[in-house]
Amino acid sequence: MTYNHHVVEKKWQKYWHEHNVFNTTNDPNKENFYALDMFPYPSGQGLHVGHPEGYTATDIVARMKRMQGYNVLHPMGWDAFGLPAEQYALKTGHDPKSFTKKNIENFKRQINALGFSYDWNREINTTDPSYYKWTQWIFERMYQRGLAYEAEVPVNWSPDLGTVVANEEVIDGKTERGGFPVVRKPMRQWMLKITAYADRLLDDLDLIDWPENVKEMQRNWIGRSEGAAVTFKVVDSEDTIEVFTTRPDTLFGATYMVMAPEHELVDKITTAEQKQVVKAYQDEAAHKSDLDRTDLNKDKTGVFTGAYAVNPVNGKQIPIWISDYVLASYGTGAIMAVPAHDDRDFAFAKKFDLPIIPVVDGGNVADAAFTGDGLHINSEFLDGTNKDEGIHKMIAWLEDHHVGAKKVNYRLRDWLFSRQRYWGEPIPIIHWEDGETTLVPEEELPLILPETPDVKPSGSVESPLANLDDWVNVVDKNGRKGRRETNTMPQWAGSSWYFLRFVDPHNKEALADYDKLKAWMPVDLYIGGAEHAVLHLLYARFWHKFLYDIGVVPTPEPFQHLFNQGMILGANHEKMSKSKGNVVNPDDVVEQFGADTLRLYEMFMGPLDASIPWSEEGLSGARKFLDRVWRLIVDDQGKLRDHVTTENDGTLTTIYHQTVKKVTEDFEALHFNTAISQMMVFVNEASKADALPVEYMEGLVKLLAPIAPHMMEELWQELGHDETLTYEPWPTYDEQYLIEDEVEVIVQVNGKVRGHLKVARDTDKVKLEALARADEHVQKFVGTQTIRKVIVVPNKIVNIVAK
RNA sequence: GCGGGUGUGGCGGAAUUGGCAGACGCGCUAGAUUUAGGUUCUAGUGUCCGAAGGACGUAAGGGUUCAAAUCCCUUCACCCGUACCA
């Protein structure tokens, strides 16, 4: 009887569900293991074959850990706030809530069809008020500690749509929907002070087991650099300009200054004669996109303000220019320019004929800036020192004279936390008529997102919530009028702490019980796409550290071991996309081949982190292997085969124990492709054997169960058991069976293989050399040459060097 | 440009304290089973020359070593991140 995946997969999914097989256990005698997937945004498109790749990986580990005697927490939930639902609502007038609910149902159906061992009793949904109550609670705690504040930040405003659009909705300066013009408009927005945690976010990367490239991306994103702040006085004015520099040692070479066109002092210091050109340049810069200002513009531009500053170290007057090569958003928005030792300053000085004074010996200022190390020149008290020493001495001098200090600067900026959207967590803030801003009292949380029959643009920079007068307008007990914050939180908010809620999802008193968090955190294995390498993972780490500081969570880091799965490409080696017509739908695969085949195939394709094209033949190859396993154990009548026996003639002993070892180690290391290959080798050997010890067949079924759980449950039943194998003990191996008594030693002549010796394990060097020399074929290649040297590595190789 | 990574048969890949390159799977070839197709089973399958047996071969070039896919240097290609970060 051939294997029928339709029947068997449904049968076991029903069994698992009805028996609550995957409920998280809390046995105090067992160790805990937390295996987590990055929870998905339930899009209307449904599941993509890329989703199950990461999900299968964590599921395999979760299932193995259960069998190894751990309590396993393996949950799933929904990151369900987000732009698509809002856009859908705006377009159709439908409610994002019911739309989202429908999508979640579809996602859940698809996920369950793949046989993942999630504990659905812990399902969470970021749009559920009982969940976002705690998202709001965290915001309030941050506000109370000064980590949430308001600032004036420009947004993309579309007058035609009457709404603010996100960066990803702006294409070539026009709205994605309708192609209307977009203008930058300043608006008061909420910010979170992630920069206060910059050093810890950087340093604690050393505590965690993450891919080096992800750590490196986070380091670059934080962008810590050490240097000095230096204050320049503006000539004939009370104003001063502060700059940040990593090379304070080159201060004697600073021959001009440059400010960003947007710098607040520009208008103030610009002289009357220069007003017009400066204004014109500012306008031009304001209309250029960021891309124009950087990528497309390698040629330096700028104008002189007419003002001068005093170089604090030598009293020289230097001109102040503005140029868009200086970014308002980095450092202080102004720089001291040292053209002799900075490539950008050099290009600018060349173009505008500004003086170039070398202060570090080594380069030739006629050709290029010299950025290397060397001895200082033209630098009075620094002359003769090298770079490091010069920096040190200059900082001391600056501090002594109160014109500067050592400073650390970050590229990381504070987190823009508000969105002008309906479909997000309301920010629990009230703005009162007397100017006071207060939090919604904690006991009134959650602040529920009000339902509305029709989500429509507010017509202003505010979110659609501004339309809901009953909700927006509030009056306190003294009759003071107030207005609720109409901004909502970004999607990142709910995903910055969801892994904590899984630990204790129904808690009404706290976001999660501290002792339970202590038992489960940090997450032991976290798998998801590389696209979250920076933002999600940095935000989540930031919130976690904050919660750690206020005593809510017990660990400084949330995710101990992180892994990024690769992408599954279309059969044509291109990224799957509707427009390319190369998308594979998991529903179709499950229908045709079964979930076990999909899981096996995705794990066998190659290393988990590689991007590999889909192959229909590869997929049916996976099914063929599963069929082979089935036929190995079950006959045409659906009965256990006769050759599965309690007797063991020993032919499979070594390969079985090797397989148990390799599969166990490979699963642990997430090397699923090689684990599967080892099981294939074992099955090939077993197919040739006369008798199959029942112990080994049970072992094989258990080893394969994490990958192909439905068929293995069925085979486990064929082998005479009547309960799930979920909690059966994981197979073990015995070292003594791994070692073969006879080994093959290769014989080389001058590094080329010329013969093989079958000898007893640990045959000594002398004997091996003698045997090698005696080999006829070897002798032929040695011929009349003199043997100069013989290298013998027992159990491995003999290399005869002859000339 | 900078930072990180990768480069192995027709394809996906395996082998990393340096020790038989190509495990395993796909595809392909031949044979068996089948009315036939599919399935299944057996054998073969890096390239070149051949009867045995050789020579060559891990992006390209060079080096270290008894021995290099693996270590070192140079170059090239592709992928990911980033974008004048002072």
Side-chain angles (χ1 to χ4, degrees):
Chain A
M1 195 169 63
T2 55
Y3 176 71
N4 184 332
H5 64 267
H6 291 107
V7 174
V8 173
E9 292 188 352
K10 281 217 176 56
K11 169 181 163 185
W12 288 101
Q13 284 162 16
K14 189 160 171 261
Y15 177 95
W16 295 329
H17 177 70
E18 284 173 357
H19 292 77
N20 276 310
V21 169
F22 304 126
N23 272 16
T24 308
T25 54
N26 285 298
D27 184 337
N29 299 317
K30 291 179 173 182
E31 278 187 69
N32 292 342
F33 192 91
Y34 188 173
L36 182 67
D37 295 296
M38 288 186 187
F39 69 161
Y41 172 73
S43 76
Q45 332 259 292
L47 218 61
H48 175 273
V49 283
H51 286 110
E53 190 184 14
Y55 299 167
T56 304
T58 52
D59 200 54
I60 291 168
V61 175
R63 285 175 179 273
M64 174 172 75
K65 291 288 172 187
R66 284 191 197 95
M67 295 174 83
Q68 288 175 335
Y70 288 78
N71 294 308
V72 172
L73 176 54
H74 188 44
M76 182 47 87
W78 316 104
D79 187 15
F81 278 126
L83 209 45
E86 175 133 342
Q87 284 176 326
Y88 170 84
L90 286 168
K91 212 160 23 185
T92 64
H94 287 110
D95 179 18
K97 194 170 156 184
S98 54
F99 172 73
T100 301
K101 186 161 177 269
K102 212 181 72 203
N103 289 345
I104 287 175
E105 279 163 14
N106 188 41
F107 253 71
K108 197 169 171 180
R109 175 191 62 76
Q110 289 186 300
I111 282 178
N112 276 327
L114 292 167
F116 296 124
S117 62
Y118 295 123
D119 178 358
W120 287 111
N121 297 298
R122 292 175 184 246
E123 177 177 0
I124 61 179
N125 177 339
T126 55
T127 68
D128 183 339
S130 69
Y131 179 84
Y132 67 66
K133 170 182 176 174
W134 298 103
T135 313
Q136 292 171 333
W137 182 88
I138 296 169
F139 174 85
E140 295 206 339
R141 284 288 185 276
M142 288 192 156
Y143 179 82
Q144 286 162 346
R145 285 179 200 242
L147 290 172
Y149 64 95
E150 288 177 283
E152 201 76 25
V153 183
V155 294
N156 302 309
W157 164 245
S158 165
D160 299 87
L161 292 173
T163 178
V164 171
V165 289
N167 284 334
E168 58 263 34
E169 295 175 286
V170 181
I171 293 164
D172 295 334
K174 299 222 166 17
T175 60
E176 190 181 12
R177 280 181 302 141
F180 300 113
V182 171
V183 291
R184 305 276 281 169
K185 194 169 170 177
M187 178 181 182
R188 277 192 87 68
Q189 304 206 60
W190 286 95
M191 308 288 292
L192 295 186
K193 209 179 269 174
I194 190 172
T195 51
Y197 282 75
D199 269 327
R200 286 166 63 192
L201 289 168
L202 195 64
D203 294 344
D204 287 357
L205 287 170
D206 295 337
L207 305 179
I208 47 186
D209 174 19
W210 287 20
E212 201 45 52
N213 68 322
V214 175
K215 288 189 181 184
E216 200 55 34
M217 278 160 74
Q218 294 219 341
R219 286 188 193 110
N220 292 339
W221 193 263
I222 295 166
R224 182 190 148 103
S225 59
E226 284 187 24
V230 184
T231 306
F232 288 69
K233 276 183 88 67
V234 178
V235 173
D236 296 332
S237 152
E238 289 305 300
D239 293 313
T240 57
I241 301 170
E242 190 178 287
V243 303
F244 172 74
T245 177
T246 54
R247 292 293 304 272
D249 59 310
T250 62
L251 189 51
F252 284 98
T255 55
Y256 63 100
M257 293 186 81
V258 186
M259 298 166 88
E262 300 91 342
H263 195 286
E264 53 185 16
L265 273 181
V266 172
D267 292 342
K268 205 166 164 198
I269 63 167
T270 301
T271 58
E273 310 84 78
Q274 294 299 105
K275 273 254 142 65
Q276 237 176 342
V277 286
V278 166
K279 183 84 180 68
Y281 187 81
Q282 286 176 318
D283 283 349
E284 204 184 312
H287 286 100
K288 277 195 233 171
S289 72
D290 287 349
L291 208 68
D292 290 332
R293 285 180 63 165
T294 58
D295 223 22
L296 308 174
N297 185 6
K298 297 293 179 202
D299 199 24
K300 297 277 182 286
T301 60
V303 294
F304 177 44
T305 61
Y308 289 83
V310 181
N311 184 335
V313 80
N314 57 12
K316 279 194 188 157
Q317 296 198 359
I318 57 176
I320 305 170
W321 286 63
I322 61 169
S323 172
D324 60 10
Y325 88 89
V326 173
L327 310 175
S329 57
Y330 183 79
T332 62
I335 62 158
M336 65 177 214
V338 184
H341 304 292
D342 181 282
D343 293 322
R344 296 151 303 179
D345 297 343
F346 183 84
F348 192 82
K350 275 281 179 201
K351 173 142 183 197
F352 294 103
D353 215 12
L354 292 157
I356 301 172
I357 302 172
V359 290
V360 180
D361 201 19
N364 179 1
V365 294
D367 307 332
F370 173 66
T371 54
D373 198 359
L375 298 183
H376 287 87
I377 52 172
N378 302 325
S379 295
E380 301 178 15
F381 60 90
L382 292 187
D383 283 351
T385 62
N386 67 6
K387 186 169 149 185
D388 284 346
E389 198 187 342
I391 289 172
H392 204 74
K393 265 186 137 166
M394 180 58 86
I395 289 173
W397 187 94
L398 291 167
E399 287 176 347
D400 282 349
H401 293 78
H402 305 290
V403 287
K406 188 175 159 93
K407 190 181 172 189
V408 177
N409 195 54
Y410 299 93
R411 199 192 88 110
L412 181 70
R413 282 184 273 156
D414 279 342
W415 176 4
L416 175 58
F417 194 67
S418 34
R419 297 291 184 271
Q420 295 69 48
R421 295 286 159 194
Y422 166 78
W423 192 234
E425 300 89 344
I427 293 177
I429 287 279
I430 302 170
H431 303 279
W432 299 99
E433 58 187 348
D434 58 10
E436 200 194 357
T437 298
T438 63
L439 290 173
V440 171
E442 190 181 323
E443 58 276 14
E444 290 176 24
L445 296 182
L447 172 60
I448 306 241
L449 182 66
E451 303 213 5
T452 166
D454 190 12
V455 178
K456 41 179 194 293
S458 67
S460 74
V461 286
E462 288 193 83
S463 81
L465 284 172
N467 295 331
L468 308 174
D469 294 335
D470 291 350
W471 182 82
V472 169
N473 297 311
V474 293
V475 179
D476 74 4
K477 57 180 188 276
N478 301 319
R480 181 172 62 154
K481 287 182 189 155
R483 209 163 176 278
R484 291 193 190 278
E485 174 64 60
T486 57
N487 279 315
T488 54
M489 299 187 194
Q491 202 177 358
W492 306 113
S495 60
S496 290
W497 72 280
Y498 74 107
F499 44 91
L500 300 173
R501 191 64 177 171
F502 278 135
V503 169
D504 192 11
H506 310 296
N507 195 322
K508 291 201 166 64
E509 311 305 319
L511 63 83
D513 178 76
Y514 188 82
D515 289 328
K516 288 184 183 168
L517 289 171
K518 212 165 172 177
W520 289 104
M521 292 297 292
V523 173
D524 294 288
L525 175 65
Y526 190 35
I527 297 186
E531 66 273 22
H532 296 115
V534 178
L535 295 182
H536 160 60
L537 290 169
L538 201 63
Y539 293 153
R541 293 180 63 221
F542 163 44
W543 278 34
H544 198 81
K545 287 187 181 304
F546 168 71
L547 293 172
Y548 178 68
D549 288 349
I550 63 169
V552 174
V553 301
T555 63
E557 284 289 334
F559 314 120
Q560 190 53 42
H561 182 193
L562 172 81
F563 196 88
N564 293 125
Q565 91 261 13
M567 220 183 324
I568 295 181
L569 305 172
N572 56 354
H573 289 66
E574 286 181 84
K575 204 169 158 172
M576 283 194 188
S577 78
K578 260 193 201 154
S579 59
K580 284 182 187 130
N582 59 356
V583 177
V584 178
N585 182 342
D587 285 344
D588 297 339
V589 179
V590 170
E591 171 61 25
Q592 205 186 338
F593 295 93
D596 287 338
T597 298
L598 178 62
R599 295 167 60 114
L600 178 76
Y601 172 59
E602 292 205 2
M603 294 301 100
F604 186 59
M605 292 173 97
L608 189 60
D609 57 359
S611 290
I612 299 172
W614 185 262
S615 154
E616 208 61 36
E617 287 91 357
L619 180 66
S620 69
R623 171 61 195 242
K624 281 205 308 215
F625 171 66
L626 289 176
D627 284 337
R628 264 166 78 80
V629 172
W630 181 260
R631 285 197 309 271
L632 189 67
I633 297 171
V634 179
D635 68 17
D636 293 343
Q637 274 70 49
K639 295 270 177 291
L640 194 63
R641 278 193 191 275
D642 296 341
H643 68 186
V644 177
T645 149
T646 50
E647 272 163 49
N648 185 349
D649 64 10
T651 47
L652 293 175
T653 299
T654 300
I655 185 76
Y656 174 76
H657 285 266
Q658 284 171 344
T659 300
V660 172
K661 179 175 156 73
K662 180 150 180 66
V663 170
T664 306
E665 288 171 357
D666 281 354
F667 278 3
E668 195 77 51
L670 311 178
H671 295 165
F672 305 111
N673 56 330
T674 49
I676 292 166
S677 141
Q678 179 66 34
M679 288 189 270
M680 287 172 166
V681 171
F682 177 73
V683 171
N684 288 345
E685 290 292 318
S687 305
K688 286 180 231 157
D690 297 326
L692 302 178
V694 76
E695 179 198 350
Y696 296 171
M697 290 304 102
E698 293 195 346
L700 172 67
V701 166
K702 287 177 179 179
L703 291 176
L704 202 45
I707 299 180
H710 309 88
M711 182 189 275
M712 296 312 124
E713 288 274 25
E714 191 70 11
L715 285 173
W716 187 245
Q717 207 171 52
E718 288 283 350
L719 286 160
H721 305 276
D722 39 71
E723 283 199 350
T724 173
L725 54 60
T726 304
Y727 296 95
E728 291 297 323
W730 188 249
T732 54
Y733 60 90
D734 190 334
E735 291 283 350
Q736 70 167 313
Y737 297 123
L738 297 175
I739 309 155
E740 288 172 272
D741 299 334
E742 199 172 48
V743 293
E744 196 173 69
V745 171
I746 50 167
V747 182
Q748 298 183 333
V749 177
N750 291 327
K752 298 209 161 131
V753 181
R754 300 300 180 191
H756 302 259
L757 301 172
K758 274 241 174 204
V759 295
R761 162 161 287 275
D762 296 329
T763 302
D764 66 61
K765 283 189 174 192
V766 178
K767 182 134 184 241
L768 279 175
E769 183 176 337
L771 284 167
R773 282 177 187 252
D775 186 284
E776 234 176 89
H777 197 63
V778 169
Q779 282 179 356
K780 208 168 93 191
F781 279 89
V782 174
T784 56
Q785 301 176 101
T786 320
I787 294 177
R788 294 282 161 94
K789 198 169 171 187
V790 179
I791 290 107
V792 184
V793 181
N795 298 328
K796 273 194 176 157
I797 197 169
V798 177
N799 190 9
I800 298 168
V801 185
K803 230 178 177 178

